[in-house]
Amino acid sequence: MTSPITIRLGQRARQRIAADGVQAADIAIVPAAAGGPKGLVLHGLDCWMFGEFFRQAPRQRRLIGASIGAWRMAASAFDDPVAAHRRLARLYAGQRYPAKVTPAYVSQTCRALLDELLDGCGAEPLTHPHHQLSVITARGIGALRDAHGTRWRELAGFLLAAAGNALSRKRLAASMERVIFHHPLDDGRWLRDDFDAFANHFVDLSPQNLRDALLASGSIPLVLEAVSNLAGAPAGAYWDGGLIDYHLHLPYQRDPGLVLYPHFSDYLVPGWLDKSMPWRRARDQALDNMILVSPSAAFIASLPNTKLPDRKDFHVYGQDHARRNRDWLHAIGESERLAEAFARWCERPDLKQASGF
């Protein structure tokens, strides 16, 4: 039977697994990509990892995400992560928008979603004894510094940023900076030494900025409004963290532990604007200690419309919210097969089934 998962291993990860198997105690970092509804297909893996696997070996772990990845990692840091992930899946799949919608309306809807996800808590994801949450956002500079609030300026600023990125990813750094809102007990030291062209700012997560940071991390330009006035953060307009860190190509090799990365794709691209540029896929030492698990092509072909849920579905299904919600919930239910297959592999890892990067 064709496996529902694909596994890729960095060289250090392969050596560790060959010697010791897959040990929960070895996992130090869990990244979570941006990608909107695509992240729904990782629901089963999230519930298994945080509801079962990591409970075998409590330790300090860094959970880092952008956009829906940040929302998933926030859910993972609840005392009851399975309940939080189920709440997130239900809320995200249940989004409904009128045929004509404004960025203000979408931002208001997503803020309400986050309020319900956090379930009235002050900041429970910041009090977990072992899981340390980091939320990645993109802060506008240059032409994007004052672009928020004026649609034509925002459009012009992002067109300029896209043109620069097409020439070189380094040029995107002239339009935005990475701002990482991190757990106060995790100083982000592994990210503080330069690793790419982007300026980095580090801000302690707090009850005062948690919701705003999560909303900013998922604020797609021209679809949602930029978020500003985040407590403790540099002034400016904040947008989707996936603009810089779509698949979170970060310097993981700096950590002596392993990285367990449930991902909707079997490769990593740095930024959202790099999606159509296969030559920018990550193949460097940053992946050396990574275990990447993703849905196989056969699994994806078994889903409604033979694809992962994605943001285009809002337009494809139009006002037929019930059918979109049904198909997304079906994909979420099928994600249990990914978790079951990966759990079996972790119990008896067959390295022949895992490719490299």
Side-chain angles (χ1 to χ4, degrees), residues 210-280:
L210 175 61
R211 285 170 172 78
D212 284 340
L214 289 170
L215 180 61
S217 189
S219 290
I220 304 165
L222 304 171
V223 178
L224 285 81
E225 295 180 317
V227 179
S228 57
N229 301 318
L230 284 84
Y238 287 74
W239 277 285
D240 196 311
L243 291 167
I244 298 175
D245 296 300
Y246 183 49
H247 289 177
L248 279 70
H249 181 206
L250 302 173
Y252 302 111
Q253 78 279 7
R254 294 176 178 175
D255 195 294
L258 297 184
V259 178
L260 178 51
Y261 192 170
H263 191 19
F264 51 78
S265 175
D266 67 349
Y267 59 85
L268 275 66
V269 295
W272 185 82
L273 293 167
D274 303 317
K275 290 191 299 180
S276 60
M277 304 178 188
W279 57 90
R280 291 194 184 174

Side-chain angles (χ1 to χ4, degrees), residues 2-304:
T2 303
S3 175
I5 59 172
T6 296
I7 299 171
R8 304 187 75 173
L9 301 175
Q11 190 58 37
R12 177 153 46 114
R14 182 178 292 272
Q15 292 169 354
R16 182 82 67 90
I17 293 170
D20 303 321
V22 181
Q23 304 294 328
D26 289 338
I27 308 301
I29 301 174
V30 182
K38 295 184 183 72
L40 296 174
V41 80
L42 303 172
H43 172 77
L45 284 163
D46 288 339
C47 290
W48 172 76
M49 278 194 310
F50 292 97
E52 297 182 36
F53 185 55
F54 290 149
R55 291 181 184 272
Q56 300 172 14
R59 57 159 290 176
Q60 298 301 311
R61 290 188 178 89
R62 296 185 172 106
L63 316 183
I64 184 165
S67 197
I68 192 175
W71 299 8
R72 288 172 45 222
M73 292 301 95
S76 301
F78 272 77
D79 289 338
D80 187 345
V82 174
H85 275 291
R86 287 175 178 165
R87 191 160 62 247
L88 174 59
R90 172 179 58 81
L91 292 168
Y92 200 99
Q95 292 179 83
R96 295 190 173 204
Y97 297 99
K100 293 185 178 180
V101 66
T102 64
Y105 186 96
V106 181
S107 289
Q108 182 180 7
T109 301
C110 289
R111 187 176 287 278
L113 185 159
L114 288 169
D115 285 342
E116 193 168 348
L117 170 65
L118 296 173
D119 198 26
C121 72
E124 187 177 331
L126 304 184
T127 62
H128 196 282
H130 305 116
H131 296 157
Q132 298 174 345
L133 174 67
S134 291
V135 176
I136 300 178
T137 65
R139 174 177 177 254
I141 58 174
L144 289 174
R145 184 183 304 274
D146 301 311
H148 62 295
T150 306
R151 189 171 179 82
W152 71 266
R153 285 185 178 176
E154 189 173 322
L155 177 60
F158 279 105
L159 287 174
L160 182 64
N165 186 77
L167 295 174
S168 167
R169 179 164 160 81
K170 291 182 179 179
R171 296 201 178 195
L172 186 63
S175 295
M176 56 192 71
E177 299 175 334
R178 181 186 288 115
V179 182
I180 301 170
F181 292 82
H182 60 90
H183 191 286
L185 296 182
D186 177 11
D187 64 4
R189 185 168 300 173
W190 67 293
L191 296 172
R192 288 185 183 264
D193 290 339
D194 292 343
F195 59 89
D196 60 14
F198 294 90
N200 293 324
H201 300 275
F202 296 85
V203 180
D204 280 0
L205 273 172
S206 70
Q208 291 71 40
N209 64 25
L210 175 61
R211 285 170 172 78
D212 284 340
L214 289 170
L215 180 61
S217 189
S219 290
I220 304 165
L222 304 171
V223 178
L224 285 81
E225 295 180 317
V227 179
S228 57
N229 301 318
L230 284 84
Y238 287 74
W239 277 285
D240 196 311
L243 291 167
I244 298 175
D245 296 300
Y246 183 49
H247 289 177
L248 279 70
H249 181 206
L250 302 173
Y252 302 111
Q253 78 279 7
R254 294 176 178 175
D255 195 294
L258 297 184
V259 178
L260 178 51
Y261 192 170
H263 191 19
F264 51 78
S265 175
D266 67 349
Y267 59 85
L268 275 66
V269 295
W272 185 82
L273 293 167
D274 303 317
K275 290 191 299 180
S276 60
M277 304 178 188
W279 57 90
R280 291 194 184 174
R281 293 181 183 180
R283 299 180 178 88
D284 61 359
Q285 62 179 347
L287 313 183
D288 194 42
N289 56 338
M290 182 176 290
I291 305 167
L292 184 77
V293 55
S294 58
S296 68
F299 174 85
I300 294 172
S302 73
L303 297 178

Side-chain angles (χ1 to χ4, degrees), residues 93-102 105-106 311-326:
Q95 292 179 83
R96 295 190 173 204
Y97 297 99
K100 293 185 178 180
V101 66
T102 64
Y105 186 96
V106 181
R311 196 159 54 87
K312 293 178 182 177
D313 289 344
F314 285 113
H315 300 287
V316 171
Y317 287 86
Q319 294 301 291
D320 193 350
H321 304 297
R323 188 163 67 93
R324 176 183 53 78
N325 186 61
R326 180 199 67 201

